[in-house]
Amino acid sequence: MSGSLNKVCLIGNLGKDPEIRSTQDGREIANLTVATSESWKDKNSGERKERTEWHRVVIFSEGLVKVAKNWLAKGSKVYLEGQLQTRKWTDQSGVDRYSTEVVLQGYGAALTMLNKVDRDGGHEEDDAPPAQRPQQPPSELLDDEIPF
Amino acid sequence: MSGSLNKVCLIGNLGKDPEIRSTQDGREIANLTVATSESWKDKNSGERKERTEWHRVVIFSEGLVKVAKNWLAKGSKVYLEGQLQTRKWTDQSGVDRYSTEVVLQGYGAALTMLNKVDRDGGHEEDDAPPAQRPQQPPSELLDDEIPF
Amino acid sequence: MSGSLNKVCLIGNLGKDPEIRSTQDGREIANLTVATSESWKDKNSGERKERTEWHRVVIFSEGLVKVAKNWLAKGSKVYLEGQLQTRKWTDQSGVDRYSTEVVLQGYGAALTMLNKVDRDGGHEEDDAPPAQRPQQPPSELLDDEIPF
Amino acid sequence: MSGSLNKVCLIGNLGKDPEIRSTQDGREIANLTVATSESWKDKNSGERKERTEWHRVVIFSEGLVKVAKNWLAKGSKVYLEGQLQTRKWTDQSGVDRYSTEVVLQGYGAALTMLNKVDRDGGHEEDDAPPAQRPQQPPSELLDDEIPF
DNA sequence: TTTT
DNA sequence: TTTT
């Protein structure tokens, strides 16, 4: 019992397809890039403004990795619940860097699809393999506008 | 209406006294450093493990800055609710860096004190200046473990 | 400062159109009937089970009443955030009864539309009057399967 | 996957000791009575007002029943997370009645103690039997204000 | 990069 | 009564 709470709840859209990777010990994890946006009227100018926030999401829970893999794609709207974790790493010039992520793992983690995105095929079975995704263009991987 | 949600809920303890700063346009903001911790039994070794996570919190809401200023101190346990924002900045060597913070601003922001920390005096009036704080005693929350 | 938290978060679908009523002092309130459902596989029989829970929602916040009135209809999927309140009333035979509702009022209340439901017309302006709704059939009002 | 969310988060104090009962099939469940309160200044009179809300909480999760049994008592402050359920029952005069409860069961359920209440002994072992509880002292949480 |  |  720790007397503390660390919870993040997001409703947003995936900016790209989930990225599935394997750890050294053979478990799969999924990385999501989720956009939340809010809009408001500027008090002075009266014009409509919008701000989009991008979130890194890392899924360790086996069942939720399966959901991400089989059901989510670029544009999917999701509800997710996880916890904030800041990870330390060292960049190529030896400087300490920190990256903050929303981690879905263990109790309290949740991932729910809120819409259906057009995907070739669709999946009736939970364990069905995902439809073949087109090879991602390199621009997706090299895009340096993404803030992480 | 944006159809999105960006919410962080934390229950944790302040690692140090709130830091109050003023913006150029004269408004006050408060920075909190909040620790959440979780503990679990390692499946293999059976030993008790603990992990502490540190969160940067920035308060813009005028009323909540006042709460932080007048009622919170190192060691205070709080419940807070805000949103995730990642801010870009440039370090002294000109490299882009990102910092993720929990921002308390506008609707949906909340800050509640969950315990009373010994402070000389206490405050009956919301707007009373904080009592002079005693030098902080050594604490289980060690300043040099805070990663920022 | 109360040191307490009373928060309900729902994502669900409206079971009927919002009901708009006026209080004696001329303010409008909206009542929503929201269904959440969960499904699971029964451990013994292996069959898929589903349970639907119905929630009474009462909206007092002026802006959110407007959202309900102008944008929501039977079938709408919403995210909402409010607080639990149990109201006491006396039934026709003089017995005390209690009704628990999710109340959207003041800080921390939220209501977001997560999908678009087909409605005749649609509304470009926040303040535009809602499309003319067909008169509700009496069966809607008399339905005694609704648990409240 | 249902696309819905049913979540209640409370921080409040127990109005009485947890009540532990056994189901027919031998599992233990715990009932909590939790008070949340909020206070505000009346806009017209300027006087401070307070409203206390009482919540019925039912715990089915085995581990959380153990937490309630061994660590909680009247006056304990807790954080808990569960879901809303309305249960139908028939009163002694044969009238259908409904009772809405916060249910802690399965994924997403949480119960955390936020303070220590004086208890003779305390418990170092999770599974230790609770110390004999002293007769409860008169308290600011008056039993006869609890509406159930 | 998403979405409205 | 909703929805998947």
Side-chain angles (χ1 to χ4, degrees):
Chain A
M1 216 286 306
S2 67
S4 69
L5 172 73
N6 175 356
K7 180 179 289 288
V8 181
C9 304
L10 302 178
I11 294 175
N13 298 283
L14 302 213
K16 43 178 156 173
D17 285 345
E19 293 167 350
I20 311 294
R21 299 179 318 161
S22 290
T23 59
Q24 295 97 318
D25 53 321
R27 288 172 298 116
E28 280 186 325
I29 68 176
N31 286 269
L32 307 183
T33 296
V34 175
T36 57
S37 58
E38 54 181 337
S39 65
W40 68 97
K41 257 183 203 138
D42 186 88
K43 284 176 283 194
N44 302 320
S45 68
E47 52 185 342
R48 192 114 221 109
K49 302 231 176 170
E50 175 154 0
R51 176 191 162 91
T52 294
E53 191 69 39
W54 289 96
H55 309 270
R56 280 176 181 279
V57 176
V58 188
I59 309 176
F60 290 99
S61 300
E62 191 185 341
L64 300 183
V65 168
K66 200 153 49 174
V67 169
K69 210 173 152 180
N70 289 347
W71 296 100
L72 302 183
K74 180 175 179 171
S76 293
K77 172 165 283 191
V78 295
Y79 170 80
L80 65 85
E81 207 173 316
Q83 61 179 198
L84 266 189
Q85 285 184 18
T86 298
R87 206 165 34 81
K88 185 185 186 172
W89 53 286
T90 307
D91 71 10
Q92 56 274 50
S93 47
V95 179
D96 284 347
R97 307 287 284 272
Y98 298 91
S99 176
T100 300
E101 297 161 330
V102 178
V103 174
L104 275 61
Q105 181 174 38
Y107 267 86
L111 177 62
T112 304
M113 184 175 37
L114 294 176
N115 70 344
K116 278 228 164 53
V117 157
D118 278 336
R119 287 258 305 268
D120 33 16
H123 306 289
E124 297 309 312
E125 302 302 319
D126 271 13
D127 297 316
Q132 182 72 31
R133 287 199 186 114
Q135 191 66 26
Q136 293 302 327
S139 62
E140 288 266 331
L141 304 170
L142 299 174
D143 190 343
D144 57 13
E145 292 176 22
I146 305 183
F148 44 75
Chain B
M1 214 284 308
S2 69
S4 69
L5 172 73
N6 175 355
K7 180 178 289 287
V8 181
C9 305
L10 302 178
I11 295 175
N13 298 284
L14 302 213
K16 42 179 156 172
D17 285 346
E19 293 167 350
I20 311 294
R21 300 179 317 161
S22 290
T23 60
Q24 295 97 315
D25 54 321
R27 289 171 298 116
E28 281 186 324
I29 69 177
N31 286 269
L32 307 183
T33 296
V34 175
T36 57
S37 58
E38 55 181 336
S39 65
W40 68 97
K41 258 182 202 138
D42 186 88
K43 283 177 283 196
N44 302 320
S45 67
E47 51 184 344
R48 193 112 221 110
K49 301 231 175 169
E50 176 153 358
R51 175 190 162 92
T52 294
E53 191 69 38
W54 290 96
H55 309 271
R56 283 174 181 279
V57 176
V58 187
I59 309 176
F60 291 100
S61 301
E62 190 184 342
L64 301 183
V65 168
K66 199 152 51 173
V67 169
K69 208 173 155 181
N70 289 349
W71 295 101
L72 302 183
K74 180 176 181 172
S76 292
K77 173 166 284 192
V78 294
Y79 170 79
L80 65 84
E81 206 173 316
Q83 62 180 195
L84 267 188
Q85 285 184 17
T86 297
R87 204 166 35 82
K88 185 183 184 174
W89 53 287
T90 306
D91 71 11
Q92 57 275 49
S93 47
V95 179
D96 284 347
R97 306 288 283 271
Y98 297 91
S99 176
T100 300
E101 297 161 329
V102 178
V103 173
L104 275 61
Q105 182 174 36
Y107 266 86
L111 177 63
T112 304
M113 183 174 37
L114 295 176
N115 70 344
K116 281 228 164 54
V117 157
D118 278 338
R119 291 255 306 267
D120 35 15
H123 305 289
E124 298 310 312
E125 301 302 320
D126 272 12
D127 298 316
Q132 180 74 29
R133 289 194 184 118
Q135 191 65 25
Q136 292 304 326
S139 156
E140 76 283 12
L141 297 167
L142 302 175
D143 287 348
D144 57 347
E145 292 179 6
I146 305 179
F148 47 77
Chain C
M1 214 285 308
S2 68
S4 69
L5 173 71
N6 175 356
K7 179 178 290 287
V8 181
C9 305
L10 302 178
I11 295 174
N13 298 282
L14 301 213
K16 42 178 156 172
D17 285 346
E19 294 168 350
I20 310 294
R21 299 180 317 163
S22 288
T23 60
Q24 294 98 318
D25 53 321
R27 288 171 299 118
E28 281 187 324
I29 69 176
N31 286 270
L32 307 183
T33 296
V34 175
T36 57
S37 59
E38 55 182 337
S39 66
W40 68 96
K41 258 184 202 136
D42 186 87
K43 282 176 284 194
N44 302 319
S45 67
E47 51 184 344
R48 192 113 220 108
K49 301 230 176 169
E50 175 153 359
R51 175 192 163 90
T52 293
E53 191 69 40
W54 288 96
H55 308 271
R56 279 177 183 278
V57 176
V58 187
I59 309 176
F60 291 99
S61 300
E62 190 184 342
L64 301 183
V65 169
K66 199 154 50 174
V67 169
K69 209 173 153 181
N70 290 347
W71 295 101
L72 302 183
K74 180 175 179 172
S76 292
K77 172 165 282 190
V78 294
Y79 171 79
L80 65 85
E81 207 173 316
Q83 62 179 196
L84 266 187
Q85 285 185 18
T86 298
R87 208 166 31 83
K88 186 184 185 173
W89 53 285
T90 307
D91 71 12
Q92 56 275 51
S93 48
V95 179
D96 283 348
R97 305 288 283 272
Y98 297 91
S99 177
T100 300
E101 297 161 329
V102 178
V103 174
L104 275 61
Q105 182 174 36
Y107 267 87
L111 176 63
T112 304
M113 185 175 36
L114 294 176
N115 71 344
K116 278 229 163 56
V117 157
D118 277 337
R119 288 258 305 270
D120 34 15
H123 305 289
E124 297 311 311
E125 301 301 321
D126 271 13
D127 297 315
Q132 181 73 29
R133 287 198 186 114
Q135 189 67 25
Q136 293 303 327
S139 64
E140 288 266 330
L141 302 171
L142 300 173
D143 190 341
D144 58 12
E145 292 176 23
I146 303 183
F148 44 74
Chain D
M1 214 286 307
S2 67
S4 69
L5 173 73
N6 175 356
K7 180 179 288 289
V8 181
C9 303
L10 301 178
I11 295 175
N13 297 285
L14 302 211
K16 41 178 155 171
D17 285 346
E19 293 167 349
I20 310 294
R21 300 179 318 162
S22 289
T23 60
Q24 294 97 317
D25 54 320
R27 288 172 298 116
E28 282 188 324
I29 68 176
N31 286 269
L32 306 183
T33 296
V34 175
T36 58
S37 59
E38 54 181 338
S39 65
W40 68 97
K41 259 186 201 133
D42 186 88
K43 284 177 284 194
N44 302 320
S45 68
E47 51 186 342
R48 191 112 221 110
K49 301 230 174 170
E50 176 153 359
R51 173 191 164 93
T52 295
E53 190 69 40
W54 289 96
H55 309 269
R56 283 173 181 279
V57 176
V58 187
I59 309 176
F60 290 100
S61 300
E62 191 184 342
L64 300 183
V65 169
K66 199 153 50 174
V67 170
K69 208 174 155 181
N70 290 348
W71 295 101
L72 302 183
K74 180 175 180 173
S76 293
K77 173 165 282 191
V78 295
Y79 170 79
L80 65 84
E81 206 173 316
Q83 61 179 197
L84 267 188
Q85 285 184 17
T86 297
R87 205 166 34 81
K88 184 184 186 173
W89 53 285
T90 307
D91 71 10
Q92 56 275 50
S93 47
V95 179
D96 284 346
R97 305 287 284 271
Y98 297 91
S99 176
T100 300
E101 297 161 328
V102 178
V103 174
L104 276 61
Q105 181 174 36
Y107 267 87
L111 176 62
T112 304
M113 185 173 37
L114 294 176
N115 70 345
K116 280 226 164 55
V117 157
D118 277 338
R119 290 257 303 269
D120 34 15
H123 305 289
E124 297 310 311
E125 301 303 319
D126 272 12
D127 298 316
Q132 181 73 31
R133 288 195 183 117
Q135 192 63 26
Q136 292 304 328
S139 155
E140 75 282 14
L141 297 168
L142 302 176
D143 288 347
D144 56 348
E145 292 179 7
I146 305 179
F148 49 76

